[in-house]
Structures are given as structure tokens and as C-alpha cells.
Amino acid sequence: MSLSKVGRRVLLSLFLLAVAAPATADPRWWWHDAQVAGPGHATSLDIDAVPPVFRGDAPAVFVAWAEPPFAIEGRLRLAASFDGGCSWCSVGVRSIMSGEPETAIAVEPLGRTGFYSIQILLTDSGILAAVHDAVSVPLAGTPEEKCAALADVNLNHTVTPLGGPDARFPDIAGIESDLVGEPQFHAVWRQAAPGGDWDVHYGRD
């Protein structure tokens, strides 16, 4: 049985509660403060973590955020750690034109091809789109080899429009499906409705 991003977060929280002292919150639960990237103008960050695929590997952690176009070109950026958060590599993966971009990320292992399937929701110029890459970052290899492969991720040519004008607050979750043999991704976002109201919309790949 595979778990979604939300399910993995719930299990991790329960694990931490089980191993921690039952008194008050212990700051040692959050033991690491690493700089992922910077300096810059990061907005709308989101994170997903993928359990180890092979014995002896550490969890992979992926972070996506937007750097809005102020004086220079805006970029959608992707960072990853393949050693459980100890070291990070980052890359710009897509140009951004909008002044207020929003992002959400979900990552799942694509076992049949041997790569991570990376799905990112991005609002840009009033349109919500899903951009993805499933052919660049391998599941196998050292953290250094995977970081080197991260530089090959390019999300400028893999665009699936989802939401219309004024789409906001996207979120996405993935699940490694045992039924179809490859990940499924589920997305929600807020969409402007007639009369000034807002609807919640859902989509899946």
C-alpha cells in the first residue's frame, strides 16, 4: 500500500509523538536548520518528501518556490536533497512572467522507468498550469549523481493548463498507485466564479 503526501506527513507526525517525551514540545524534534538556496526573493514555497526507494538510501526531499519577476526575469526554482536534508542542490526550471506566482509540488517514484516523477502547479499570468518532469532525476545513484541530474530538469515545455483566469492557492498530492503501476496526482485550487464568488476546483492526471 502506498501513501499520499498527506498520509506520509501524518505517519511522520505519529512517529515523532511516539518517540518523544510525553511532556511538553521538545525543540530537538526540529534538529536541522539548513539554507536551501539564496539570497533571492522566494515566494510561495512548498515541499514534498519521498521515502527511500532502495535499501540504504535516505529520503529525498523536494522544494519548489517562485522568484517573481522584479528587476530580472522571474524563475520557478526547484531544490532537492537526496541525503535526508543534510545537503541541497537547486536549479531554475522555468521562466515566470506573472508578478504574483504561486506554486505547489508533489513527487513520486516512477518505478517502471526508474526516475522521480515531479509535478509542480504554477500560477503565472492568471493561468494555473501543471508542469512536470519524469525523465531527468534517477531513483538510483549517489546524492551527488542525482544532484547533477537535477540540472537537466526543464519545465518550459511540459505544460498542462488547468485553471482559468484568477486561479489561486493551488495544492497537489501524489500517490504511488499499485493498480496502474505508476503515480497518480490530484490537484485542487480556488477559481473565480460569476458574481464575485469563488469555487474550489479539482483535477487529476
Side-chain angles (χ1 to χ4, degrees):
M1 180 180 296
S2 300
L3 295 173
S4 67
K5 176 167 66 172
V6 175
R8 292 197 292 264
R9 289 173 176 172
V10 171
L11 286 180
L12 179 59
S13 299
L14 292 175
F15 171 77
L16 291 174
L17 288 173
V19 300
T24 58
D26 189 336
R28 291 175 297 176
W29 291 1
W30 294 93
W31 58 270
H32 196 50
D33 181 9
Q35 180 174 327
V36 174
H41 299 281
T43 66
S44 185
L45 293 94
D46 195 26
I47 188 171
D48 195 14
V50 183
V53 177
F54 301 106
R55 185 181 300 274
D57 282 357
V61 187
F62 293 83
V63 178
W65 71 94
E67 293 183 348
F70 296 123
I72 59 176
E73 179 186 38
R75 300 290 289 172
L76 171 64
R77 297 196 64 86
L78 173 66
S81 172
F82 300 102
D83 54 11
C86 294
S87 61
W88 292 85
C89 46
S90 66
V91 63
V93 292
R94 180 177 169 81
S95 300
I96 292 177
M97 303 303 297
S98 171
E100 296 182 359
E102 297 173 341
T103 61
I105 185 172
V107 183
E108 293 291 336
L110 188 53
R112 63 180 177 83
T113 63
F115 290 89
Y116 289 100
S117 182
I118 304 166
Q119 291 268 3
I120 300 177
L121 300 184
L122 171 68
T123 60
D124 190 12
S125 302
I127 302 297
L128 173 65
V131 295
H132 71 277
D133 179 283
V135 296
S136 297
V137 185
L139 299 175
T142 66
E144 293 76 15
E145 291 169 339
K146 295 176 184 179
C147 271
L150 194 73
D152 296 329
V153 176
N154 187 319
L155 301 180
N156 282 313
H157 309 295
T158 54
V159 181
T160 303
L162 293 178
D166 299 318
R168 297 288 308 278
F169 309 122
D171 199 7
I172 185 171
I175 183 170
E176 185 183 1
S177 175
D178 294 328
L179 297 178
V180 299
E182 62 182 52
Q184 296 178 350
F185 293 91
H186 304 262
V188 293
W189 63 92
R190 191 186 78 172
Q191 184 70 60
D197 293 328
W198 301 92
D199 295 334
V200 176
H201 284 222
Y202 162 84
R204 55 164 293 183
D205 69 339

